[in-house]
Amino acid sequence: MSSVTPDRSKVQPAPPGIMVIFGAGGDLARRKLFPALYHLMTDGLLAENFRIIVVDRRDRDAKDYRAYIDENARPHVSKAMNDDLWQELLQRIHYLNGDFQQANTYTRMSTLIDEIDRDYHTGGNCLYYLATPPDFFGDIATQLHAAGLSAESAGQWRHLVVEKPFGRDLESARALNRTLQAAFNEDQIYRIDHYLGKETVQNILMYRFANSTVEPIWNHRYIDHMQITVAESIGVETRGGYYDTAGALRDMVPNHLLALLSTVTMEPANSLDGNAVRDEQAKILRAIQPILPEQVLTDVVRGQYAEGVSSKGEPVPGYRSEAHVAGDSATETFVAMKVLIDSWRWAGVPFYLRTGKRLPGRYTEIVVQFKEAPNMMFRDSLVRREQVPPNTLVLRIQPNEGIGLSFNAKVPSTVPQLSPVEMDFSYKDYFGDGPTTGYETLLYECMNSDPTLFKRADVIETGWELVEPILDVWHALPPRDFPNYAAGSWGPDEAAALMSRDGRAWRPCKACSVD
Ligand code: BG6
């Protein structure tokens, strides 16, 4: 297989600046942010005069924190480790011991930013990264504003990066947006959905709009339906406390699943400009048919895992026995749903979405199933109709990233016989190493003031509007059959019924232990 090496000469390092990480003692900093900064550095994309301030309540200093990151972030670095470069990154860390809720933390931060700016010429640019529990988002933004740290003078930028969850329903999302927008302008706010940072998700637009063979058939005339599966084999691990108040719907649907759905269905934007792409995404999300309360009962399925076996064949506990989860919890760990989009392109095409914990494998894929060939010219031959399955295009988001097309071909023989065969593109074969954390692109784009891959306030709110009726109905009618699927299975039977009722079926997972 011929491999293709990206042409790095076209990519410039990001502008200088200071990244201020709030909640630097948490998982995100060690698992994603520092490995991503290191990957940017190895690719020459981090400015020489880029510095990092970590804000943490723990009474330690820069030296302790560097040792902590050295030990805890290293295992998450996926590119070859160059010790000198890694040490250089660690040396760029400044430590600010302080409580995010105290005004004096921000006064000291302001002084530190000025000092670093003077010593390292960071251009007055700051990226405030909120890697904290969501309850602090509003407060931190307000305090940054009060300390004068959100103001941008000519030629410099001050960006606020917020991780999900953005609220827990429409009302709280709106309230959070109002608070953030009172402290920063909308174009200074970068809301991360880490799915948009994944190479394979970005490639959906490239695949659709850089190939003349794709778009002509990307519509209701040729496509029967699409399936989006985000399956996880893990349970809730150490996050039971958060998860039990959120559930699979809030945790995955208004954000990641809708990000995939909008990318695969949006109209072409007239440029790659941040707002042009986001306008199209917002438009398609607004075109999704609202789910009426009575439809929640027929078109949305919820599930919770009971004990069972993990994808590795080991016995695992049920959700209600996980740490920090209520023994009688009504929280769903699985959701499947059918949605329709009211648009010229997608009239009558159903989109089936499903996601869950403790499923038989970890994989995310989008299946585009085409309509059957209109006329069976093989009718009078030995070829039977069921031997001619419709063509399927599978966008494999993770793992084994790639795109596969299955179509029918003649089996070599003297009598006509057909068999489905596959054409396969794999990222690894063409581009070598698999994708990195996804945060590299997001950080780089944020430093370059390009908001394309970040969620705008209206997109967030539209996501919540769509799931709000489901939350309401579920709240009014607590589940009576939980737990209703065994760990290691494909979720409750109703999820299969959601498709079989329409004469369709979920595509079996080839790489998983159970289909
Ligand atoms: C997070 C959810 O946003 O995405 C987690 O809170 C989930 O529950 C994770 O496990 C999945 O992300 P990825 O990149 O592993 O598919």
Side-chain angles (χ1 to χ4, degrees):
M1 185 69 57
S2 67
S3 74
V4 180
T5 317
D7 180 358
R8 300 235 175 267
S9 64
K10 297 201 176 102
V11 191
Q12 297 295 318
I18 303 173
M19 176 167 172
V20 184
I21 307 178
F22 293 82
D27 260 16
L28 193 71
R30 68 181 178 89
R31 291 179 52 215
K32 305 281 188 192
L33 301 183
F34 278 95
L37 289 172
Y38 174 74
H39 294 153
L40 284 176
M41 226 172 150
T42 57
D43 288 343
L45 298 180
L46 206 58
E48 297 267 312
N49 25 13
F50 174 84
R51 310 294 297 184
I52 305 155
I53 298 178
V54 297
V55 194
D56 197 14
R57 257 194 304 221
R58 262 158 278 210
D59 189 14
R60 48 186 174 188
D61 59 17
K63 196 159 153 256
D64 301 331
Y65 188 79
R66 288 181 191 132
Y68 160 81
I69 284 297
D70 190 19
E71 186 182 337
N72 293 286
R74 230 179 222 275
H76 299 283
V77 166
S78 58
K79 294 200 175 186
M81 182 49 99
N82 170 332
D83 267 311
D84 293 343
L85 213 55
W86 177 246
Q87 288 309 327
E88 192 193 321
L89 177 66
L90 299 185
Q91 290 314 314
R92 296 180 182 207
I93 298 175
H94 305 256
Y95 195 81
L96 181 68
N97 177 232
D99 185 329
F100 326 132
Q101 287 171 301
Q102 301 286 323
N104 95 23
T105 304
Y106 297 83
T107 325
R108 290 186 295 122
M109 186 181 298
S110 178
T111 312
L112 184 58
I113 287 175
D114 288 345
E115 278 169 23
I116 297 175
D117 196 25
R118 207 175 42 238
D119 296 347
Y120 297 96
H121 311 291
T122 49
N125 300 328
C126 286
L127 186 166
Y128 304 110
Y129 201 111
L130 310 194
T132 66
D135 295 351
F136 293 110
F137 293 169
D139 261 10
I140 296 175
T142 309
Q143 299 261 21
L144 284 167
H145 173 67
L149 291 168
S150 60
E152 293 175 325
S153 8
Q156 37 162 259
W157 49 258
R158 298 271 158 125
H159 295 163
L160 182 76
V161 180
V162 192
E163 278 276 342
K164 71 175 261 282
F166 311 101
R168 49 174 288 106
D169 51 23
L170 181 58
E171 195 189 321
S172 54
R174 281 190 178 140
L176 178 60
N177 278 334
R178 276 195 302 272
T179 310
L180 299 185
Q181 287 167 340
F184 287 80
N185 296 325
E186 176 61 25
D187 64 6
Q188 293 178 278
I189 306 172
Y190 287 70
R191 299 176 190 80
I192 284 196
D193 180 326
H194 78 279
Y195 265 59
L196 294 176
K198 291 182 193 279
E199 280 291 339
T200 43
V201 176
Q202 291 167 39
N203 185 49
I204 296 173
L205 290 190
M206 307 295 163
Y207 175 71
R208 288 186 56 198
F209 300 127
N211 295 300
S212 59
T213 53
V214 182
E215 271 308 293
I217 54 169
W218 210 255
N219 57 52
H220 69 98
R221 278 188 290 279
Y222 297 93
I223 293 177
D224 175 74
H225 75 277
M226 288 198 200
Q227 309 176 7
I228 302 182
T229 295
V230 180
E232 295 190 272
S233 50
I234 54 170
V236 288
E237 304 196 295
T238 53
R239 299 166 69 226
Y242 149 75
Y243 197 88
D244 209 33
T245 61
L249 182 72
R250 285 190 173 93
D251 190 42
M252 301 294 286
V253 178
N255 34 65
H256 307 326
L257 273 102
L258 291 187
L260 295 175
L261 180 63
S262 60
T263 312
V264 85
T265 55
M266 64 180 255
E267 294 299 319
N270 53 11
S271 76
L272 262 188
D273 166 80
N275 274 326
V277 172
R278 297 189 305 170
D279 283 346
E280 293 305 332
Q281 284 170 335
K283 245 196 255 171
I284 199 77
L285 288 177
R286 281 198 293 268
I288 296 177
Q289 274 184 14
I291 299 177
L292 303 172
E294 56 273 26
Q295 281 176 307
V296 173
L297 304 177
T298 52
D299 291 356
V300 189
V301 174
R302 58 183 153 170
Q304 185 193 73
Y305 62 84
E307 61 182 13
V309 282
S310 73
S311 53
K312 295 187 189 125
E314 290 151 359
V316 289
Y319 176 69
R320 290 177 176 177
S321 309
E322 301 275 17
H324 310 296
V325 168
D328 59 351
S329 173
T331 300
E332 79 289 351
T333 58
F334 176 96
V335 54
M337 61 202 282
K338 170 177 158 180
V339 297
L340 290 161
I341 298 180
D342 277 333
S343 77
W344 194 279
R345 185 193 283 263
W346 296 120
V349 179
F351 295 83
Y352 300 92
L353 321 180
R354 68 174 167 171
T355 182
K357 303 265 185 209
R358 283 281 182 234
L359 301 184
R362 173 185 185 249
Y363 79 106
T364 297
E365 67 175 27
I366 301 174
V367 177
V368 182
Q369 182 156 324
F370 292 93
K371 293 190 169 166
E372 289 179 345
N375 182 30
M376 263 292 124
M377 68 182 247
F378 314 103
R379 190 169 49 215
D380 299 326
S381 71
L382 291 181
V383 176
R384 278 176 287 116
R385 178 103 216 171
E386 54 281 14
Q387 288 176 312
V388 192
N391 299 160
T392 311
L393 180 86
V394 181
L395 305 170
R396 293 191 308 270
I397 306 298
Q398 64 188 22
N400 185 19
E401 291 77 6
I403 299 179
L405 175 69
S406 82
F407 58 95
N408 300 299
K410 181 177 182 301
V411 180
S413 105
T414 44
V415 288
Q417 280 189 60
L418 283 171
S419 167
V421 294
E422 285 188 20
M423 271 194 326
D424 199 66
F425 150 68
S426 149
Y427 272 77
K428 226 180 179 138
D429 292 343
Y430 274 86
F431 304 118
D433 282 353
T436 46
T437 68
Y439 278 78
E440 294 74 11
T441 317
L442 294 171
L443 290 173
Y444 181 75
E445 300 289 281
C446 177
M447 293 173 201
N448 279 298
S449 306
D450 183 344
T452 315
L453 298 177
F454 297 84
K455 294 237 166 135
R456 235 169 32 191
D458 58 332
V459 170
I460 299 280
E461 291 176 17
T462 309
W464 282 116
E465 261 166 49
L466 278 164
V467 299
E468 193 89 338
I470 308 175
L471 292 171
D472 291 345
V473 172
W474 284 0
H475 181 71
L477 301 173
R480 291 207 219 126
D481 59 347
F482 275 11
N484 59 355
Y485 70 97
S489 72
W490 276 112
D493 295 342
E494 289 85 347
L498 181 72
M499 295 280 273
S500 60
R501 202 177 66 199
D502 294 348
R504 302 184 172 105
W506 295 103
R507 178 177 181 267
C509 168
K510 295 199 179 143
C512 302
S513 44
V514 188
D515 274 349

